[in-house]
Amino acid sequence: MDYVSGFALGLSLIFAIGSQNAFILKQGIKKQHVFAICLFCALSDALLISAGVAGFGAVTAKYPNIVSLAKIAGALFLLGYGLQSLYASVSKSHALTQDNQQVSSLKKSLLLCFGFTWLNPHVYLDTLVLVGMVSTGADSKVQFGLGAISASFVFFFSLGYGARLLSPLFAKPKAWSILDALVGILMIYLAWYLFDFLPSLNRGDSYS
């Protein structure tokens, strides 16, 4: 039962479309480094969830400045990537099709994935704080943690490999331009969202 509860909580927290999920979706459609990216995201979640269940959430609750610093770094990263995506959506050289892919290196893809994962303050709030707190009510914290970790693996690999079902919709460069524009807008919105919450953090208010 604790495993099922952990799985349900983990899935509900990760299901919302955010910067990380948007990046995985785009890579899945492009069919580039899907396994490595999904594995990186799942293992990152596993590490953070394990730390949260082990009690590290108490540290972030006691020192909210850790989350504040993550918000600043994350907002700057998202802003930069968002502007880059918007530029790509209107660039004359933008010609991403199924037959003519602009292939990014594995190293570059993983570095971007690192930014979307570890510079996202909500990841820490969800895994270290929320999952950590909820796990204290479980009879078996190990089973609860394994359930939440399993949810991450199931979700990321389903998103990454399921995205290719959308490939027929992206047979034309215009579709990729629209996708880049939507991703860019999402990233810039998330960056603004993080900056907007920084003043309250600096005053020491709740960051939940």
Side-chain angles (χ1 to χ4, degrees):
M1 187 63 183
D2 287 330
Y3 179 89
V4 175
S5 298
F7 187 93
L9 177 62
L11 195 62
S12 64
L13 292 175
I14 202 173
F15 197 79
I17 292 297
S19 57
Q20 184 189 54
N21 293 346
F23 177 71
I24 296 174
L25 181 65
K26 186 175 179 180
Q27 291 299 115
I29 294 173
K30 293 164 64 176
K31 301 178 183 179
Q32 293 182 12
H33 315 302
V34 179
F35 180 81
I37 289 173
C38 291
L39 182 62
F40 178 87
C41 292
L43 290 177
S44 296
D45 257 21
L47 180 61
L48 290 168
I49 290 171
S50 298
V53 172
F56 188 73
V59 177
T60 57
K62 186 176 181 180
Y63 301 102
N65 284 336
I66 295 177
V67 180
S68 181
L69 292 175
K71 280 182 176 286
I72 296 174
L76 293 175
F77 175 79
L78 290 174
L79 179 61
Y81 188 86
L83 292 174
Q84 180 182 343
S85 292
L86 287 180
Y87 174 77
S89 70
V90 299
S91 174
K92 293 181 181 180
S93 63
H94 185 77
L96 283 174
T97 67
Q98 294 301 109
D99 299 321
N100 181 25
Q101 291 282 357
Q102 293 179 354
V103 182
S104 300
S105 67
L106 176 60
K107 180 179 179 181
K108 180 180 179 180
S109 297
L110 288 178
L111 284 175
L112 286 172
C113 195
F114 177 89
F116 288 124
T117 302
W118 292 91
L119 294 180
N120 180 5
H122 295 289
V123 169
Y124 300 99
L125 297 177
D126 289 345
T127 56
L128 293 179
V129 180
L130 186 55
V131 174
M133 288 191 301
V134 176
S135 69
T136 60
D139 294 327
S140 174
K141 295 178 68 173
V142 173
Q143 290 187 22
F144 186 90
L146 288 175
I149 290 172
S150 297
S152 294
F153 274 87
V154 170
F155 177 83
F156 285 130
F157 279 94
S158 296
L159 179 63
Y161 284 99
R164 62 186 58 194
L165 298 176
L166 299 174
S167 295
L169 298 176
F170 291 88
K172 298 180 180 180
K174 184 177 180 180
W176 287 100
S177 296
I178 294 174
L179 178 63
D180 267 337
L182 291 175
V183 170
I185 293 171
L186 174 63
M187 300 302 173
I188 293 175
Y189 167 76
L190 291 174
W192 170 83
Y193 178 83
L194 293 181
F195 271 125
D196 190 51
F197 273 78
L198 282 174
S200 62
L201 287 176
N202 291 333
R203 291 195 301 269
D205 295 342
S206 172
Y207 54 87
S208 58

